[in-house]
């Protein structure tokens, strides 16, 4: 691992492309884009949504959520609308329905600590209200609901490889995935991902990982 980091193979070697190919097979027909943080995938998606519906300014998120999700919403110049969570720490479809209004641009629905939210119902609500849906599958990689992999519901899905996730590769800059589930969004999101700057060195992130997980 040390050799890969020092020679730059983490971000310039063949393995990122191999990872993308394998994820594309796993999540087909969704389109797969690799990013350096899961919350950057959220920002890319929200900015694309915002360009399509600039009059909408609110994003619904659960009241119990990682701060990086709230920060991603704010970074896009949007307003957070929090929804109470149930005993499983997820949003209930009825509470999402009650929070939807004319200002709602998107809903971000995570699955806390590996417990799936009721995505089929939430997806139906968002489709009916013409609201974008981000299926935040950072903590449920490989888990299915109603015969579908979590992350493939709604308009886009998000995976993160940071701490406390299903697959952990580090702490900061450890990688994430944007899954594009709607063909209508494929072109603009592909363009946004292709114009991202090249990733920088990973030495600092590797030291963080060793300090927090190995030391």
């Amino acid at each position: 691992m040390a050799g890969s980091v020092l020679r730059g193979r983490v971000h310039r070697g063949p393995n990122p492309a191999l990872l993308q190919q394998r994820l594309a097979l796993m999540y087909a027909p969704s389109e797969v884009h690799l990013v350096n943080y899961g919350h950057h995938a959220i920002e890319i998606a929200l900015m694309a949504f915002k360009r399509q519906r600039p009059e909408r300014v609110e994003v619904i998120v659960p009241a119990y959520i990682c701060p990086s999700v709230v920060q991603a919403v704010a970074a896009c110049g949007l307003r957070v609308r929090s929804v109470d969570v149930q005993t499983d720490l997820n949003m209930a479809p009825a509470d999402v329905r009650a929070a939807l209004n004319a200002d709602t641009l998107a809903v971000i629905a995570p699955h806390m600590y590996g417990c799936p939210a009721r995505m089929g119902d939430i997806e139906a609500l968002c489709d009916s209200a013409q609201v974008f849906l981000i299926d935040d599958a950072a903590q449920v990689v490989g888990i299915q609901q109603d015969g579908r992999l979590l992350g493939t519901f709604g308009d886009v899905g998000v995976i993160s490889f940071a701490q406390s996730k299903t697959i952990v590769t580090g702490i900061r800059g450890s990688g994430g995935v944007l899954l594009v589930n709607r063909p209508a969004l494929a072109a603009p999101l592909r363009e946004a991902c292709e114009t991202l700057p090249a990733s920088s060195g990973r030495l600092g992130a590797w030291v963080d990982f060793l300090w927090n997980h190995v030391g």
Side-chain angles (χ1 to χ4, degrees):
M1 184 174 76
S4 293
V5 172
L6 295 174
R7 290 195 297 270
R9 287 174 58 82
V10 171
H11 57 282
R12 291 193 297 269
N15 290 332
L18 180 60
L19 174 63
Q20 187 169 18
Q21 291 169 11
R22 291 185 176 177
L23 287 172
L25 289 173
M26 180 178 177
Y27 285 95
S30 297
E31 196 167 288
V32 174
H33 299 283
L34 302 183
V35 295
N36 59 346
Y37 289 94
H39 65 265
H40 284 172
I42 293 175
E43 291 178 25
I44 292 166
L46 288 177
M47 290 304 296
F49 302 161
K50 185 178 175 181
R51 284 191 290 271
Q52 292 198 19
R53 295 181 189 155
E55 74 283 1
R56 299 194 176 193
V57 296
E58 279 192 355
V59 178
I60 292 174
V61 304
Y64 184 79
I65 189 62
C66 174
S68 65
V69 174
V70 175
Q71 291 162 6
V73 174
C76 296
L78 297 167
R79 187 168 66 232
V80 167
R81 185 178 181 89
S82 297
V83 170
D84 287 341
V85 296
Q86 305 302 300
T87 55
D88 62 0
L89 300 181
N90 292 320
M91 297 184 295
D95 293 328
V96 173
R97 182 191 298 111
L100 292 169
N101 60 61
D103 288 332
T104 308
L105 174 69
V107 173
I108 301 176
H111 312 274
M112 298 306 297
Y113 302 106
C115 181
R118 291 165 55 188
M119 289 307 296
D121 294 337
I122 294 174
E123 182 183 58
L125 285 171
C126 290
D127 286 346
S128 178
Q130 296 185 314
V131 167
F132 294 106
L133 173 60
I134 297 177
D135 183 358
D136 184 346
Q139 298 185 13
V140 287
V141 174
I143 295 177
Q144 292 192 4
Q145 186 179 84
D146 300 328
R148 296 166 61 183
L149 277 171
L150 294 171
T152 64
F153 288 82
D155 299 278
V156 304
V158 174
I159 297 172
S160 171
F161 302 132
Q163 74 274 25
S164 78
K165 305 304 188 292
T166 308
I167 302 171
V168 178
T169 63
I171 294 179
R172 59 183 177 87
S174 52
V177 180
L178 174 64
L179 302 168
V180 184
N181 304 328
R182 305 281 192 185
L185 290 167
L189 289 175
R190 188 184 310 121
E191 181 180 357
C193 290
E194 288 174 350
T195 57
L196 291 173
S199 59
S200 59
R202 288 261 293 160
L203 184 58
W206 181 58
V207 171
D208 269 352
F209 177 75
L210 290 177
W211 179 261
N212 286 276
H213 291 275
V214 181

